[in-house]
């Protein structure tokens, strides 16, 4: 089974959790995209739902597929969010933001009763930190935030596109990817980063996921916190 097939399998399993009448948060990234495409098929077949997306890309895809969109004014609480992750550690501690959408993802997830992670089995780790931890930063504050992250030993580096241009998030900010290695105390690291003025959000998602659907050669495994 390829990684894409595993992502597709996790996304298809997640469909079983979406019920008629639900308000659903849509994630960002390749796995979330496969889920959104499968959800679009269900909507064509008559599933009645309304959604809020965590990125412009996922929003545009949902609109293109005819998936009804809602807003936080109309729907302040979502029933569930289906979204991917870059790393899934015990307790469903996550690193997210490889796709640069962790700010809106965290907003959408924080408004939901449930967050179901969809991922292939390569995302499961014993400890967080092999995947660089993304930190979204206000442009003006980049030099000072970068220095403070260095002092914390987090080894930040600005994210760029392959053509060398700076990566800019949907909210118009920069991203510093922290190649920090194993994060021994994710709660403390999350607090340390949050206290830096100029940081908008970081990619540590702790105590947020309620279930993970992890797909691999043996099918889909359900992990709980
Ligand atoms: C985007 C994310 C994604 O969920 C994460 O990067 C996983 O992506 P993919 O499904 O493409 O492996 O956090 O900001």
């Amino acid at each position: 089974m390829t990684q894409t097939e595993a992502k597709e399998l996790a996304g298809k399993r997640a469909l079983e959790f979406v019920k008629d009448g639900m308000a659903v948060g849509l994630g960002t990234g390749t796995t979330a995209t496969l889920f959104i495409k499968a959800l679009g098929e269900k909507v064509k077949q008559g599933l009645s739902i309304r959604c809020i997306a965590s990125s412009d890309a996922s929003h545009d895809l949902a609109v293109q597929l005819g998936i009804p969109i809602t807003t936080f004014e109309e729907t302040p609480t979502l029933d569930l969010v289906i979204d991917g992750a870059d790393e899934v550690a015990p307790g469903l501690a996550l690193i997210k933001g490889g796709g640069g959408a962790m700010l809106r993802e965290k907003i959408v997830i924080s408004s939901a009763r449930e967050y179901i992670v969809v991922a292939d089995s390569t995302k499961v780790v014993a400890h967080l930190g092999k995947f660089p931890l993304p930190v979204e930063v206000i442009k003006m504050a980049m030099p000072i935030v970068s220095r403070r992250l260095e002092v914390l030993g987090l080894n930040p580096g600005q994210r760029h596109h392959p053509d060398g241009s700076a990566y800019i998030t949907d909210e118009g900010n920069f991203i510093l990817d922290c190649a920090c290695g194993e994060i021994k105390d994710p709660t403390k690291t999350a607090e340390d980063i949050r206290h830096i003025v100029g940081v908008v959000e970081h990619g540590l998602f702790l105590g947020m996921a309620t279930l993970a659907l992890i797909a691999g050669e043996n099918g889909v495994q359900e992990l709980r916190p």
Side-chain angles (χ1 to χ4, degrees):
M1 177 183 285
T2 65
Q3 196 178 10
T4 303
E5 284 166 346
K7 289 177 177 192
E8 199 165 15
L9 183 60
K12 288 221 167 109
R13 176 61 68 85
L15 276 183
E16 294 172 16
F17 293 82
V18 182
K19 308 287 180 214
D20 228 37
M22 277 187 166
V24 181
L26 304 175
T28 297
T30 54
T31 319
T33 294
L34 290 164
F35 166 75
I36 295 167
K37 287 181 176 165
L39 188 65
E41 287 303 312
K42 286 277 175 196
V43 167
K44 276 197 192 96
Q45 290 162 19
L47 178 72
S48 170
I49 50 162
R50 56 210 193 283
C51 296
I52 296 182
S54 59
S55 62
D56 292 345
S58 293
H59 175 90
D60 292 349
L61 177 63
V63 169
Q64 194 189 313
L65 294 170
I67 297 174
I69 299 296
T70 184
T71 61
F72 284 127
E73 283 80 34
E74 288 171 352
T75 315
T77 305
L78 301 175
D79 292 293
L80 86 163
V81 176
I82 309 288
D83 196 2
D86 299 298
E87 286 188 339
V88 181
L92 300 190
L94 311 174
I95 286 183
K96 287 181 54 55
M102 70 273 188
L103 170 58
R104 290 194 189 171
E105 288 172 334
K106 212 174 260 188
I107 292 168
V108 170
I109 291 166
S110 70
S111 77
R113 294 190 186 94
E114 269 192 81
Y115 164 30
I116 300 178
V117 182
V118 280
D120 67 273
S121 56
T122 65
K123 304 291 183 68
V124 177
V125 296
H127 306 280
L128 296 177
K130 194 168 174 203
F131 189 92
L133 173 63
V135 179
E136 182 161 344
V137 181
I138 296 279
K139 285 182 193 173
M140 175 201 182
M142 278 290 277
I144 51 174
V145 171
S146 187
R147 235 169 281 138
R148 290 192 182 148
L149 290 170
E150 265 164 36
V151 171
L152 289 172
L154 295 177
N155 196 21
Q158 187 174 350
R159 186 180 298 187
H160 290 92
H161 289 288
D163 69 2
S165 60
Y167 184 96
I168 297 177
T169 69
D170 283 349
E171 294 293 339
N173 301 308
F174 286 146
I175 289 186
L176 289 168
D177 286 309
C178 296
C180 49
E182 184 181 324
I183 301 171
K184 295 227 159 54
D185 186 344
T187 305
K188 166 110 182 31
T189 300
E191 268 173 29
D192 288 346
I193 297 173
R194 176 150 295 290
H195 284 131
I196 303 172
V197 177
V199 166
V200 187
E201 198 44 84
H202 57 75
L204 283 167
F205 284 54
L206 309 174
M208 299 189 92
T210 48
L211 175 68
L213 301 173
I214 306 294
E217 291 301 338
N218 300 323
V220 182
Q221 197 192 350
E222 294 192 2
L223 301 182
R224 292 179 196 276

